[in-house]
Amino acid sequence: MTDVNTDVERLSQNKSFGGWHKQYRHQSAVLNCSMRFAIFLPPQASNDNPVPVLYWLSGLTCSDENFMQKAGAQRLAAELGIAIVAPDTSPRGDGVADDPQGAYDLGLGAGFYLNATQPPWAAHYRMEDYVLQELPALIEALFPVSDKRAISGHSMGGHGALTLALKNPQRFTSVSAFSPISNPSRCPWGIKAFSAYLGNDREQWLAYDSSELMRNSPQGEHLPALVDQGLADDFLSNQLHPETLEDAAQASGYPLTLRRHEGYDHSYYFISSFIDDHLRFHAQYLVG
């Protein structure tokens, strides 16, 4: 995408650790609706010193606000000189399709970071193109940031971070995830979402399955990858399946570090406990 509409509305701004947290709304051409995103700019960011960006993708039911308010990432991001961008998890607004039963795991808040092909979802649900193309173009046009990007996320967002990085290694320096949905083509959340958004051809689902993508990743396209998983996570055995990602990495020689943590659950208490590790991991590749 070469042209981007830079007309944005600032909704809020708050100074934090010498930098700024700002929230914006803009009209997305890709999603055909109004979208919201948040950005943390560290104090080092200036036109003479553009800083690299970590994109954070949140999980089911979340928005741009969950990570920015709960993870406690700003202190170390300010120290390291890394901007953080958090988009919403799905298109929203009048006319945007939602689950008719109001379920939390399909429709609004549950975009799964893919490009839907099935009606009525295909009209708006193109989160893959939004996160990969439109949003970075907007961020890089408006703010003092460079085109060095890393990506991370939680749960559904961990799935999104891994799939986007695995499919587009040239666009990112590194990838990490907390409690990702690692094998969505074989878990209830993924089967429900993929059936609706992509149709019943399961071969099409594999383009959005981290385990399948990692298993078939060419050697020359590997990115450093870090995954953290809590062992007290209620979704671990039924939805997340980190073991399939681990098996895929072993099969392809992918440089995956997968850490398991006794007692930690699926919440932001877990994320805030280890977010510094992830920021330092990405800083190795973003800033050296």
Side-chain angles (χ1 to χ4, degrees):
M1 179 179 293
T2 56
D3 297 322
V4 60
N5 180 4
T6 57
D7 184 15
V8 299
E9 175 190 3
R10 192 177 70 202
L11 303 176
S12 67
Q13 67 173 359
N14 304 91
K15 195 159 189 179
S16 179
F17 295 99
W20 288 94
H21 169 272
K22 302 184 179 187
Q23 189 183 55
Y24 292 87
R25 179 185 295 121
H26 76 110
Q27 187 65 30
S28 168
V30 167
L31 301 177
N32 193 28
C33 67
S34 177
M35 287 293 286
R36 198 174 70 189
F37 69 88
I39 182 168
F40 173 73
L41 288 168
Q44 299 90 331
S46 70
N47 291 332
D48 294 329
N49 183 44
V51 296
V53 182
L54 174 65
Y55 287 85
W56 172 270
L57 307 183
S58 290
L60 290 165
T61 75
C62 293
S63 71
D64 63 289
E65 295 184 338
N66 296 75
F67 179 82
M68 292 299 198
Q69 295 180 5
K70 295 180 179 180
Q74 290 89 344
R75 179 193 58 79
L76 187 56
E79 177 183 320
L80 296 171
I82 296 173
I84 302 174
V85 171
D88 203 344
T89 51
S90 79
R92 299 184 195 265
D94 295 339
V96 176
D98 193 13
D99 183 83
Q101 306 301 319
Y104 75 94
D105 53 359
L106 185 68
L108 301 185
F112 269 83
Y113 304 102
L114 52 73
N115 288 338
T117 60
Q118 304 299 304
W121 314 102
H124 296 281
Y125 284 75
R126 300 188 62 81
M127 289 296 293
E128 180 179 25
D129 283 351
Y130 178 72
V131 172
L132 191 65
Q133 302 290 344
E134 186 178 27
L135 183 60
L138 179 65
I139 296 299
E140 290 162 22
L142 286 177
F143 302 103
V145 302
S146 72
D147 61 359
K148 292 190 73 173
R149 314 173 197 96
I151 193 165
S152 185
H154 171 232
S155 194
M156 178 186 72
H159 142 79
L162 288 167
T163 57
L164 287 173
L166 286 162
K167 293 166 72 173
N168 305 276
Q170 73 285 355
R171 292 190 63 83
F172 302 101
T173 64
S174 47
V175 60
S176 72
F178 289 85
S179 317
I181 304 172
S182 297
N183 197 192
S185 63
R186 297 184 179 181
C187 79
W189 278 339
I191 291 170
K192 179 177 181 178
F194 288 1
S195 297
Y197 297 144
L198 302 173
N200 294 323
D201 182 358
R202 295 196 172 213
E203 286 297 312
Q204 303 299 315
W205 299 5
L206 302 185
Y208 297 103
D209 189 303
S210 301
S211 293
E212 294 295 328
L213 291 168
M214 189 169 284
R215 183 177 300 279
N216 295 297
S217 175
Q219 282 281 344
E221 298 183 359
H222 291 176
L223 293 177
L226 171 65
V227 171
D228 278 330
Q229 176 62 61
L231 292 179
D233 191 321
D234 289 342
F235 304 112
L236 177 58
S237 61
N238 193 37
Q239 302 282 12
L240 305 181
H241 300 299
E243 68 280 356
T244 64
L245 194 68
E246 198 168 45
D247 290 345
Q250 291 174 356
S252 65
Y254 205 93
L256 169 69
T257 298
L258 196 156
R259 310 188 304 182
R260 294 171 170 85
H261 302 275
E262 194 72 40
Y264 285 93
D265 58 19
H266 200 70
S267 72
Y268 268 82
Y269 293 106
F270 174 44
I271 295 169
S272 64
S273 297
F274 296 99
I275 190 61
D276 282 6
D277 289 357
H278 285 241
L279 289 170
R280 294 191 188 281
F281 166 76
H282 289 295
Q284 298 176 71
Y285 310 101
L286 286 172
V287 299

